[in-house]
Amino acid sequence: MTLSPATVPARTPVLRRSLRFAAIGACLPYLSLKVAWIAGSHLGIPDGSPLLRHRLTLALANGLTVLMDASVVVLALLLTRPWGRRVPAWLLAVPMWLAVGLLAPIMVGFPLQLAVHGGHGGGGGTADRPFLADWVFGVVYGGFIVQGLALGALFAGYARERWGHLWRGRVRELPAAGAARAQRLTVVTAALVALVPGAVRLLRAFGVAAPDGSGDRSLQCAYLLFLAAAVTGAWQLALRRGGTLPVAVPLALAWTGSGAVACWGGWMSLAAWVTGDRPTPPTVLTYAGQVITGFLVASVIARFLTDRPGKASR
């Protein structure tokens, strides 16, 4: 059964408004906690937490994360208001790539942690120096999951309407001439660089000790999946190796995987600096490898989209 043209517009605005309210409402718990911490509250921060060592640095970091989560509100409005259709492609794509990159590992990793640890997400840090109380992770990460689902649904609809022509068809139908030598070299480089964080994550997933406290096996498996998604998607796009797969599949894999590994590699490096911890050399290499891999794959995506007929410059 096909919906009539009169039916679709009646449903779509209601769904978009609902998703917009869900995304914005899910920001409130996180924003409230951050504002409280900036004001000096220790709500949800255990005594002895590394977060209490450097109060000025912590306040600055909290201010940054308030701006980051507030950007979700802006994105939710941009994706659902008429003026959002006039925003240049890059001005939407970059913050959405960052948002997807930061939210996707939480959406995958936090439920995995709950399943593995019997309903406890873990307070972060180490057993004797937890970063935060368990309930903080439940409230905040639950909000992040809602944000990710709502923003993802909004962006999928927006992108399909505005740029859907860029990923029509199947991978085997892509012109071979479009697979430039520079793109192939970039993908091969990304795959080689990804071997470093991939190897470290794989070893930790199999129980090799992680002395800096980053050895949760469920998280290691999640990052392995995102690394594999980033490299596989980029490989299929640049080398035309997807066969009958819709173009949207490797594009989504590369987009989500590259954002996840790059953003969290950079974010965890920043977190280590804020808390004064000194990551082990393998961890430093892991974070650096993720960032490099993510940005290399992102460059492949950008080149692929700009080379397509009717490119996403509008």
Side-chain angles (χ1 to χ4, degrees), residues 210-239:
D212 55 1
S214 60
D216 188 288
R217 296 187 184 187
S218 58
L219 289 180
Q220 306 309 320
C221 292
Y223 283 117
L224 278 170
L225 287 175
F226 286 116
L227 278 166
V231 173
T232 301
W235 190 278
Q236 291 174 329
L237 288 176
L239 278 70

Side-chain angles (χ1 to χ4, degrees), residues 24-34 139-140 143:
I24 294 174
C27 295
L28 297 180
Y30 185 78
L31 291 175
S32 300
L33 269 175
K34 289 292 183 174
V139 170
V140 170

Side-chain angles (χ1 to χ4, degrees), residues 1 36 64 147 178 249:
M1 178 179 178
L64 172 63
Q147 290 176 37
V249 172

Side-chain angles (χ1 to χ4, degrees), residues 188-314:
V188 172
T189 304
L192 292 175
V193 172
L195 290 176
V196 176
V200 176
R201 299 288 188 190
L202 184 63
L203 288 172
R204 290 177 177 173
F206 277 97
V208 175
D212 55 1
S214 60
D216 188 288
R217 296 187 184 187
S218 58
L219 289 180
Q220 306 309 320
C221 292
Y223 283 117
L224 278 170
L225 287 175
F226 286 116
L227 278 166
V231 173
T232 301
W235 190 278
Q236 291 174 329
L237 288 176
L239 278 70
R240 312 313 196 221
R241 294 290 190 246
T244 59
L245 279 178
V247 174
V249 172
L251 186 60
L253 288 174
W255 175 278
T256 305
S258 64
V261 297
C263 291
W264 275 92
W267 183 252
M268 293 306 294
S269 299
L270 177 62
W273 174 75
V274 169
T275 59
D277 289 343
R278 293 184 177 180
T280 61
T283 299
V284 173
L285 289 174
T286 297
Y287 295 159
Q290 287 186 194
V291 171
I292 295 170
T293 299
F295 277 100
L296 287 173
V297 172
S299 71
V300 172
I301 297 171
R303 185 55 185 266
F304 172 81
L305 293 176
T306 54
D307 284 348
R308 294 284 279 168
K311 59 185 179 181
S313 59
R314 58 183 179 86

Side-chain angles (χ1 to χ4, degrees), residues 96-177:
M96 275 304 308
W97 182 76
L98 293 172
V100 168
L102 289 170
L103 292 172
I106 296 174
M107 297 171 68
V108 174
F110 187 60
L112 275 177
Q113 282 186 300
L114 292 178
V116 170
H117 298 295
H120 296 282
T126 60
D128 58 331
R129 294 188 308 156
F131 281 171
L132 296 167
D134 280 350
W135 69 263
V136 174
F137 280 80
V139 170
V140 170
Y141 282 4
F144 284 162
I145 290 172
V146 175
Q147 290 176 37
L149 292 172
L151 271 186
L154 287 173
F155 182 63
Y158 179 103
R160 183 173 59 250
E161 292 176 4
R162 186 173 175 182
W163 303 305
H165 59 283
L166 296 177
W167 50 80
R168 288 196 188 116
R170 302 190 179 274
V171 175
R172 68 181 179 187
E173 299 169 356
L174 294 173

